[in-house]
Amino acid sequence: MPPHFDTIDAIVDFDRYPIKDLDSEGARRVLETCHATMASRGACRLEGFIRPEALEAMVREAEGLFPQAFRHDEQFRVYVAENIPEGLSADDPRRVLARSAQACIAWDLFGPGAILRRLYEWDGLTDFLQAVLGKSTLFRSADPINACSISYTETGGELGWHFDSADFSVTLQMQAPDAGGEFQFAPNTRSDENENYGTVRRILDGDPEGVISSKSPPGTLSVFRGHKSLHRVTPVAGAKPRITAILTYADEPGFVGKSYSHKVFFGRETAG
Ligand SMILES: O=C(O)CCC(=O)C(=O)O
Ligand SMILES: [Fe+2]
């Protein structure tokens, strides 16, 4: 009989990450590690978060959805969706554009029994992430299109350097490509007090100092504060695409994203 994934226990490796009861000793230990790396680097990674059999089935689901994915290949500002003053000097990093070339599957294309849907809709994950981030509230996004989505980065594709508009992001690495597709992250590139344009410029020009490269094994859940830390996904090569799920959250219930991102990343016309 093929394995079933109708309970969260079959999906999340609770032996390794006992986070079902956040008050348990095991959960406290997991949270301690996450808090430490969130504080020092603005990021944390949980390798092997998804059980191998569930991950395999998740990848098959993602492959099944792939023909419906919307492709984009566009230039974006590094400072995504931020107001950029006019008359900036030629070398100001706020003028720089970066390339994003990926294919994406919207949330409303996931079937009712999709494993990724079960994971995202499990309240325990939202509660765990709230604890990791030390927030007083956290809600799943109500966006029908990008609440939880899948990005496929095919050969020649990439996601150029940028600061996220959201305060933090959560990703699940599902499939690593044959080559490239590394996640590069410059922890705490900027702060509320200091934009550090010089550092941003230096990284955009290719200086690797202060940049951490990671190739997360499939099954890794990552949380990172991408609004303050410049990051990118390097170009992918080879037949196998990089497949990543992006899970989004908000401090308030009922959050719906911007229509321009629905159009650019998912090819949808929406209001708002
Ligand atoms: O795919 C990744 O690992 C990062 C994605 C990302 O930076 C984003 O969605 O803003
Ligand atoms: Fe990002």
Side-chain angles (χ1 to χ4, degrees):
M1 218 172 76
H4 288 282
F5 303 101
D6 44 10
T7 67
I8 197 67
D9 300 71
I11 301 170
V12 173
D13 189 345
F14 291 125
D15 300 321
R16 189 160 174 184
Y17 298 107
I19 56 165
K20 251 184 154 175
D21 173 5
L22 290 178
D23 294 323
S24 69
E25 189 48 42
R28 261 202 288 273
R29 271 200 302 272
V30 174
L31 283 170
E32 230 169 72
T33 313
C34 292
H35 288 154
T37 60
M38 286 306 294
S40 60
R41 292 182 165 191
C44 77
R45 282 199 310 167
L46 291 93
E47 288 190 13
F49 189 75
I50 302 296
R51 295 190 187 277
E53 307 76 33
L55 183 66
E56 210 182 297
M58 251 182 198
V59 172
R60 277 199 302 273
E61 285 178 356
E63 286 169 349
L65 288 166
F66 185 53
Q68 296 178 72
F70 177 78
R71 282 193 179 76
H72 69 268
D73 189 343
E74 312 258 357
Q75 301 285 329
F76 291 94
R77 279 193 203 284
V78 168
Y79 295 78
V80 179
E82 291 179 35
N83 285 327
I84 305 299
E86 282 179 31
L88 296 173
S89 68
D91 66 346
D92 192 300
R94 286 171 291 178
R95 295 179 55 154
V96 174
L97 300 178
R99 176 173 174 249
S100 172
Q102 294 184 310
C104 301
I105 280 287
W107 178 229
D108 60 2
L109 294 174
F110 287 71
I115 302 173
L116 200 49
R117 178 182 290 280
R118 283 193 200 286
L119 175 69
Y120 183 60
E121 291 184 343
W122 174 51
D123 289 340
L125 181 61
T126 312
D127 294 344
F128 171 64
L129 292 168
Q130 182 183 325
V132 166
L133 292 156
K135 285 182 175 283
S136 52
T137 58
L138 193 69
F139 297 89
R140 283 189 290 275
S141 164
D143 193 315
I145 294 172
N146 81 346
C148 175
S149 61
I150 304 180
S151 293
Y152 308 76
T153 319
E154 299 167 89
T155 189
E158 66 184 300
L159 179 61
W161 287 115
H162 64 283
F163 288 110
D164 291 339
S165 48
D167 155 40
F168 70 94
S169 288
V170 179
T171 61
L172 174 67
Q173 176 77 339
M174 292 167 68
Q175 178 171 276
D178 297 319
E182 280 184 30
F183 182 65
Q184 294 190 334
F185 185 79
N188 307 314
T189 329
R190 62 174 176 171
S191 64
D192 285 340
E193 294 74 40
N194 193 342
E195 284 286 344
N196 284 323
Y197 292 126
T199 305
V200 175
R201 180 82 241 181
R202 186 173 60 64
I203 294 169
L204 296 178
D205 287 342
D207 185 345
E209 201 192 312
V211 175
I212 298 172
S213 281
S214 58
K215 213 167 178 175
S216 294
T220 304
L221 186 80
S222 300
V223 185
F224 59 92
R225 294 197 180 278
H227 186 63
K228 297 286 186 226
S229 300
L230 195 61
H231 59 282
R232 71 162 171 168
V233 176
T234 65
V236 163
K240 222 167 61 168
R242 177 186 195 264
I243 308 179
T244 308
I246 316 229
L247 292 69
T248 70
Y249 297 87
D251 293 342
E252 309 283 338
F255 176 83
V256 176
K258 299 258 191 316
S259 63
Y260 87 87
S261 70
H262 294 161
K263 185 163 169 37
V264 172
F265 296 109
F266 301 98
R268 306 287 187 89
E269 297 286 350
T270 54

